[in-house]
């Protein structure tokens, strides 16, 4: 039973355009959401996070939007750069847990020059 | 500024052997997490440890798997009597005290069971 779903295995975007990566979740007890970026043969790198009490968080080119009623969050990257090409994982924490994160399967983003 | 270190990076074992995976957290981090990633899957939480304590092992298989984080030295994930289904990438992450959301991941150990 997948509690965090990334339904698009891959996404291709032109350099300079916006990349939108989507994530859906089923557990209403999740209180914190994170996005990680992963290059091949490396560990995930933290990108940006959002608490369930907010609906938007922005950090430079990265913005995460949270729609609690739809149990949906998205990561926007503007403008996209070739160096952004990687696998992006959405992760969530259940309220009351002590830090174990539940990950989606990832979306592979390719930014073409 | 050394990040999380894991060794070995690649490990090959035959069925029935033992696998020991090591994780050295970022200096000053007292919390360690182990995750497993099967092919084409996301990372799955296994266990969360603080020095000399297992805090949450809800993701650990009931048999053959164990983890420790001693007072001195790295955290160890031990898999006894490995089977082919144990083949995966095992990632360790660490965080400072009271800052679980800032988990820094290591490069992972890729275990292949023949």
């Amino acid at each position: 039973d997948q509690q965090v779903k990334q339904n698009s295995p891959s996404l291709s975007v032109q350099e300079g355009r916006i990349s939108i990566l989507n994530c859906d979740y089923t557990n209403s007890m999740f209180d914190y959401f994170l996005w990680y970026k992963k290059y091949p043969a490396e560990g995930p790198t933290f990108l940006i996070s959002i608490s369930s009490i907010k609906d938007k968080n922005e950090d430079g080119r990265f913005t995460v939007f949270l729609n609690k009623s739809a149990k949906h969050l998205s990561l926007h990257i503007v403008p996209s750069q070739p160096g952004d090409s990687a696998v992006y994982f959405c992760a969530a924490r259940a309220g009351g847990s002590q830090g174990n994160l539940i990950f989606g399967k990832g979306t592979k983003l390719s930014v073409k020059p | 500024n050394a990040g999380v270190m894991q060794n070995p990076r690649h490990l090959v074992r035959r069925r029935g052997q033992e696998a020991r995976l090591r994780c050295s957290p970022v200096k000053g981090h007292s919390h360690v997490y182990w995750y497993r990633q099967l092919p084409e899957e996301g990372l799955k939480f296994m266990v969360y440890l603080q020095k000399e304590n297992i805090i949450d092992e809800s993701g650990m298989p009931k048999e053959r798997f164990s983890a420790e984080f001693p007072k001195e030295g790295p955290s160890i994930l031990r898999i006894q009597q490995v089977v082919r289904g144990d083949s995966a990438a095992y990632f360790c992450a660490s965080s400072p005290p009271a800052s679980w959301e800032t988990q820094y991941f290591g490069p992972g150990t890729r275990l292949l069971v023949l």
Side-chain angles (χ1 to χ4, degrees):
Chain A
D1 180 31
Q2 245 189 301
Q3 298 186 68
V4 177
K5 299 177 186 178
Q6 293 177 258
N7 291 319
S8 298
S10 62
L11 174 68
S12 184
V13 170
Q14 206 66 33
E15 181 179 7
R17 299 289 188 111
I18 184 171
S19 295
I20 300 177
L21 297 108
N22 293 304
C23 179
D24 297 295
Y25 62 95
T26 57
N27 189 340
S28 57
M29 297 301 290
F30 288 152
D31 65 350
Y32 204 82
F33 302 89
L34 308 92
W35 284 94
Y36 282 85
K37 173 180 175 180
K38 185 180 179 303
Y39 293 117
E42 293 185 12
T45 303
F46 171 76
L47 264 180
I48 192 169
S49 61
I50 188 167
S51 165
S52 60
I53 62 173
K54 295 188 174 181
D55 55 19
K56 179 183 174 182
N57 188 25
E58 194 171 349
D59 183 1
R61 296 186 298 115
F62 302 91
T63 304
V64 56
F65 295 92
L66 175 61
N67 182 334
K68 281 181 66 178
S69 60
K71 293 193 177 70
H72 177 83
L73 66 155
S74 59
L75 174 67
H76 293 211
I77 307 173
V78 179
S80 302
Q81 300 172 354
D84 295 329
S85 298
V87 177
Y88 289 77
F89 289 99
C90 171
R93 183 192 83 142
S97 74
Q98 296 204 48
N100 55 330
L101 300 176
I102 299 170
F103 283 79
K105 290 188 177 184
T107 296
K108 184 175 182 179
L109 174 65
S110 299
V111 180
K112 300 190 183 308
Chain B
N1 181 21
V4 176
M5 299 180 70
Q6 290 187 248
N7 69 82
R9 293 291 304 273
H10 299 272
L11 182 61
V12 180
R13 284 287 178 267
R14 296 194 181 279
R15 281 179 295 169
Q17 291 184 319
E18 178 179 288
R20 280 183 174 241
L21 288 63
R22 293 175 185 76
C23 169
S24 295
V26 173
K27 189 175 181 181
H29 287 190
S30 55
H31 298 210
V32 164
Y33 313 80
W34 285 93
Y35 293 83
R36 174 165 67 174
Q37 184 184 23
L38 295 170
E40 309 302 322
E41 296 284 325
L43 281 73
K44 294 273 196 293
F45 168 79
M46 299 181 75
V47 63
Y48 162 37
L49 310 106
Q50 294 178 18
K51 288 278 187 183
E52 299 185 282
N53 279 309
I54 297 175
I55 306 302
D56 182 351
E57 56 181 347
S58 58
M60 286 281 268
K62 295 280 185 271
E63 297 175 346
R64 302 188 297 109
F65 285 72
S66 62
E68 62 176 6
F69 188 17
K71 188 176 179 182
E72 302 291 337
S75 175
I76 307 283
L77 179 68
R78 183 183 176 205
I79 312 172
Q80 294 177 290
Q81 299 174 332
V82 295
V83 301
R84 289 217 172 106
D86 296 333
S87 296
Y90 291 82
F91 292 96
C92 168
S94 73
S95 70
S99 186
W100 63 269
E101 67 275 9
T102 316
Q103 294 186 22
Y104 297 87
F105 281 81
T109 293
R110 277 139 190 90
L111 172 65
L112 176 62
V113 179
L114 301 176

